[in-house]
Coordinates of all heavy atoms in Angstrom, one line a residue:
D2 N 113.0 234.4 234.8 CA 111.9 233.7 234.1 C 111.5 234.5 232.9 O 111.3 235.7 232.9 CB 110.7 233.8 235.1 CG 109.5 233.1 234.5 OD1 109.6 232.3 233.7 OD2 108.3 233.5 234.9
I5 N 106.3 232.1 228.4 CA 105.4 232.6 227.3 C 104.7 233.8 227.7 O 104.6 234.8 226.9 CB 104.5 231.5 226.8 CG1 105.3 230.4 226.1 CG2 103.4 232.0 225.9 CD1 104.5 229.1 225.8
D14 N 102.0 244.4 224.4 CA 101.8 245.7 224.9 C 101.5 246.7 223.8 O 102.1 246.8 222.8 CB 103.1 246.1 225.7 CG 103.1 247.6 226.1 OD1 102.4 247.9 227.2 OD2 103.7 248.4 225.5
K15 N 100.5 247.5 224.1 CA 100.0 248.5 223.1 C 101.2 249.4 222.5 O 101.3 249.5 221.3 CB 99.0 249.4 223.7 CG 98.7 250.7 223.0 CD 97.6 251.4 223.9 CE 97.7 252.9 223.8 NZ 96.7 253.6 224.5
W16 N 102.0 249.9 223.3 CA 103.1 250.8 222.9 C 104.2 250.0 222.2 O 104.7 250.5 221.2 CB 103.6 251.6 224.0 CG 102.6 252.5 224.6 CD1 102.2 252.5 225.9 CD2 101.8 253.6 224.0 NE1 101.2 253.5 226.1 CE2 101.0 254.1 225.0 CE3 101.8 254.0 222.7 CZ2 100.1 255.2 224.7 CZ3 100.9 255.1 222.4 CH2 100.1 255.6 223.4
L19 N 103.1 249.3 218.6 CA 103.2 250.5 217.7 C 104.6 250.9 217.4 O 105.0 251.3 216.3 CB 102.5 251.7 218.4 CG 100.9 251.4 218.5 CD1 100.3 252.6 219.3 CD2 100.3 251.3 217.1
V20 N 105.5 250.8 218.4 CA 107.0 251.1 218.2 C 107.5 250.1 217.1 O 108.2 250.5 216.2 CB 107.8 251.0 219.5 CG1 109.3 251.1 219.2 CG2 107.4 252.2 220.4
G27 N 112.3 251.1 209.0 CA 113.7 251.5 209.1 C 114.0 252.2 210.4 O 113.1 252.5 211.2
E33 N 111.2 261.4 216.0 CA 110.4 260.9 214.9 C 109.5 259.8 215.3 O 108.3 259.8 214.9 CB 111.4 260.3 213.8 CG 112.2 261.3 213.0 CD 113.2 260.6 212.1 OE1 113.9 259.6 212.5 OE2 113.3 261.0 210.9
R36 N 106.6 261.5 217.3 CA 105.6 262.1 216.5 C 104.8 261.2 215.7 O 103.6 261.5 215.4 CB 106.4 263.1 215.5 CG 106.8 264.4 216.1 CD 107.2 265.4 215.0 NE 108.4 264.9 214.3 CZ 109.6 265.1 214.6 NH1 110.0 265.8 215.6 NH2 110.6 264.7 213.8
S37 N 105.3 260.0 215.4 CA 104.5 259.1 214.6 C 103.6 258.2 215.4 O 102.7 257.5 214.8 CB 105.5 258.2 213.8 OG 106.3 257.3 214.6
R44 N 108.1 259.9 228.3 CA 108.4 258.9 229.3 C 108.0 257.5 228.9 O 108.8 256.6 229.1 CB 107.7 259.3 230.7 CG 108.1 258.3 231.8 CD 107.3 258.6 233.1 NE 107.6 257.8 234.2 CZ 107.4 256.5 234.3 NH1 106.9 255.8 233.3 NH2 107.7 255.8 235.4
T49 N 109.4 252.2 226.8 CA 109.1 251.1 225.8 C 110.3 250.7 225.0 O 110.6 249.6 224.9 CB 108.0 251.6 224.9 OG1 106.8 251.9 225.7 CG2 107.6 250.6 223.8
P65 N 128.2 260.3 218.0 CA 129.0 261.3 218.8 C 128.8 262.7 218.2 O 129.8 263.3 217.5 CB 130.4 260.8 218.7 CG 130.4 260.1 217.4 CD 129.1 259.5 217.2
L75 N 115.1 248.0 214.6 CA 114.8 246.6 214.9 C 116.0 245.7 214.7 O 116.8 245.9 213.8 CB 113.6 246.1 214.1 CG 112.3 246.7 214.3 CD1 111.3 246.1 213.3 CD2 111.8 246.5 215.7
G79 N 113.6 241.4 216.3 CA 112.5 242.3 216.2 C 111.8 242.3 214.8 O 110.6 242.4 214.7
S80 N 112.7 242.3 213.8 CA 112.1 242.2 212.4 C 111.3 241.0 212.1 O 110.3 241.1 211.4 CB 113.3 242.3 211.4 OG 113.9 243.6 211.5
L82 N 109.2 239.8 213.9 CA 107.8 240.0 214.4 C 106.9 240.8 213.5 O 105.7 240.8 213.6 CB 107.9 240.7 215.8 CG 108.1 240.0 217.0 CD1 108.3 240.9 218.2 CD2 106.9 239.1 217.3
T83 N 107.6 241.6 212.6 CA 106.8 242.6 211.9 C 105.7 242.1 211.1 O 104.6 242.7 211.0 CB 107.8 243.5 211.1 OG1 108.4 242.7 210.1 CG2 108.7 244.3 211.9
L89 N 98.1 241.7 212.4 CA 97.3 242.1 213.5 C 96.8 243.6 213.3 O 95.6 243.8 213.5 CB 98.0 242.0 214.8 CG 97.2 242.3 216.1 CD1 96.0 241.4 216.2 CD2 98.1 242.1 217.3
H96 N 88.4 245.6 211.0 CA 87.3 245.2 211.9 C 86.9 246.3 212.9 O 86.0 246.1 213.7 CB 87.6 243.9 212.6 CG 87.6 242.7 211.6 ND1 86.5 242.2 211.0 CD2 88.7 242.1 211.1 CE1 86.9 241.2 210.2 NE2 88.2 241.1 210.2
I100 N 83.7 246.2 215.4 CA 83.9 246.0 216.9 C 83.3 247.2 217.6 O 82.6 247.0 218.7 CB 85.4 245.9 217.2 CG1 85.8 244.5 216.6 CG2 85.6 246.0 218.7 CD1 87.3 244.3 216.7
R104 N 80.4 246.9 220.4 CA 80.5 247.4 221.8 C 79.3 248.3 222.1 O 78.8 248.2 223.2 CB 81.8 248.2 221.9 CG 83.0 247.3 221.9 CD 84.3 248.2 222.0 NE 85.5 247.3 222.0 CZ 86.7 247.8 222.0 NH1 86.9 249.1 221.9 NH2 87.7 247.0 222.1
E110 N 72.5 247.2 225.5 CA 71.7 246.0 226.0 C 72.0 245.7 227.5 O 71.3 245.0 228.1 CB 72.0 244.8 225.1 CG 71.4 244.9 223.7 CD 71.9 243.7 222.8 OE1 72.6 242.9 223.3 OE2 71.5 243.8 221.7
P112 N 72.9 248.2 230.2 CA 73.1 249.5 230.9 C 73.6 249.3 232.3 O 73.2 248.4 233.0 CB 71.8 250.2 230.8 CG 70.8 249.1 230.7 CD 71.5 247.9 230.0
Q114 N 76.5 248.3 233.4 CA 77.7 247.5 233.6 C 78.9 248.2 233.2 O 78.9 249.2 232.5 CB 77.5 246.2 232.8 CG 77.7 246.3 231.3 CD 79.1 246.3 230.8 OE1 80.0 245.7 231.5 NE2 79.4 247.0 229.7

Side-chain angles (χ1 to χ4, degrees):
D2 179 27
I5 292 172
D14 170 80
K15 164 180 148 178
W16 299 120
L19 294 173
V20 168
E33 290 175 314
R36 281 192 299 269
S37 66
R44 181 185 184 293
T49 301
L75 294 176
S80 292
L82 277 172
T83 59
L89 183 59
H96 296 283
I100 290 171
R104 288 177 178 175
E110 292 172 0
Q114 73 80 31

